Amino acid sequence: MTIANQPESAPLITRRAGRLGLPPLDNYFAEAWHYRVFAYHWSRADLKSRNFETLLGRVWLVLNPFLYGLIYFVFIGIIGGGGLGSTTQLAFIVGNLYIWSFFSGTISTGAGSIQGGAGGILAQSAIPRIILPFASTLTSAQLFFRSMLAYVPLHIVANRGFHIEMLWIPVLVVLTGLFGFGLALLMAVLNMYFRDVSRLLPHMLRLWLYLSPAIWVYTTVGGDTTLDTLARLNPAYSMMTAWTIALGGPLAETPDITSQIMITATWAVAVLIIGFMIFVSREDDFVVRN
């Protein structure tokens, strides 16, 4: 006996992989989009679990990069002989460290989002696992926007000025997030096969920070020597150079910010595509290896 006006069942979304190990991408994107609200609330829960919704948590969110910036400022002022009286130098370092915290936080939290804890349980469910590193990216973005509000007074006190290059900031935020998200997908896969990746990653990111123009000015490697060329091949060089110009304005003989953004976009899109394809093609292995 049939029941009248019975609602049609939802279309079945298949996850059967093709020759490259990838499911039908149109179905996969549709299924991932269906869980977008879940990703948002998962991110909110992550913030609460890390006490960033409390008063002290919010204060520490602002103070942590600032204290690191102060340490680097003192270190560079003493070693470099530039003195400790430049608030512009302090604002430059602190502003770049806030941005680097967004980038590195996206990578490190996304890399560990699949393994262990509640994320490990969800990785064994039927939801698209890419939702978990995406939620971690949302968490890092929320933390970044809150911390940058605290940077504004320092920017004004340091007299870094307001200029046309600041209009590129929304574009740079998106590109930085995409770049970090793509790397997070790659690191999440590596972390499933080699569990020590999550322990090595903070040290690797710190070394990458020292090799990037975050605590030192990009004009330091403006020559044509082999070391200067290698420094500019660093994927984060153009990203941090563009951020420095966007926040502080162009320096003398500075590269064009548009060209630096185009290079950053190339890296971000390439890493995102590669990271997505590797992550999705290996996604079914997560249940076995987690």
Side-chain angles (χ1 to χ4, degrees), residues 60-145:
W60 179 247
L61 170 65
V62 175
L63 283 181
N64 191 34
F66 180 81
L67 292 176
Y68 270 113
L70 189 61
I71 292 171
Y72 289 131
F73 171 67
V74 173
F75 180 77
I76 292 174
I78 294 175
I79 300 300
L84 303 178
S86 174
T87 55
T88 303
Q89 178 78 0
L90 177 61
F92 155 73
I93 295 176
V94 170
N96 282 0
L97 284 179
Y98 280 136
I99 294 151
W100 186 266
S101 296
F102 169 40
F103 179 64
S104 62
T106 300
I107 300 171
S108 58
T109 57
S113 61
I114 303 297
Q115 178 191 356
I121 297 174
L122 287 175
Q124 301 182 45
S125 66
I127 71 170
R129 280 72 167 188
I130 201 171
I131 290 298
L132 298 176
F134 178 70
S136 298
T137 302
L138 292 180
T139 300
S140 297
Q142 293 185 65
L143 297 177
F144 169 71
F145 289 128

Side-chain angles (χ1 to χ4, degrees), residues 46-219:
D46 186 24
L47 286 173
K48 290 182 179 180
S49 68
R50 293 157 63 182
N51 297 321
F52 285 132
E53 293 297 325
T54 65
L55 176 61
L56 292 178
R58 291 170 181 169
V59 171
W60 179 247
L61 170 65
V62 175
L63 283 181
N64 191 34
F66 180 81
L67 292 176
Y68 270 113
L70 189 61
I71 292 171
Y72 289 131
F73 171 67
V74 173
F75 180 77
I76 292 174
I78 294 175
I79 300 300
L84 303 178
S86 174
T87 55
T88 303
Q89 178 78 0
L90 177 61
F92 155 73
I93 295 176
V94 170
N96 282 0
L97 284 179
Y98 280 136
I99 294 151
W100 186 266
S101 296
F102 169 40
F103 179 64
S104 62
T106 300
I107 300 171
S108 58
T109 57
S113 61
I114 303 297
Q115 178 191 356
I121 297 174
L122 287 175
Q124 301 182 45
S125 66
I127 71 170
R129 280 72 167 188
I130 201 171
I131 290 298
L132 298 176
F134 178 70
S136 298
T137 302
L138 292 180
T139 300
S140 297
Q142 293 185 65
L143 297 177
F144 169 71
F145 289 128
R146 296 180 187 185
S147 63
M148 285 304 289
L149 289 176
Y151 164 77
V152 173
L154 180 60
H155 184 96
I156 296 174
V157 170
N159 197 26
R160 297 192 78 186
F162 297 92
H163 28 266
I164 193 66
E165 287 79 9
M166 285 184 167
L167 296 176
W168 285 107
I169 289 179
V171 177
L172 283 170
V173 171
V174 173
L175 291 179
T176 303
L178 291 178
F179 196 3
F181 180 54
L183 288 171
L185 296 179
L186 289 172
M187 293 298 106
V189 175
L190 283 176
N191 194 45
M192 293 302 300
Y193 290 90
F194 308 100
R195 297 304 177 97
D196 289 333
V197 168
S198 59
R199 296 185 178 91
L200 293 175
L201 193 55
H203 304 289
M204 295 166 59
L205 289 171
R206 190 174 298 111
L207 177 61
W208 197 3
L209 167 66
Y210 298 150
L211 296 176
S212 305
I215 60 176
W216 49 270
V217 185
Y218 59 87
T219 53

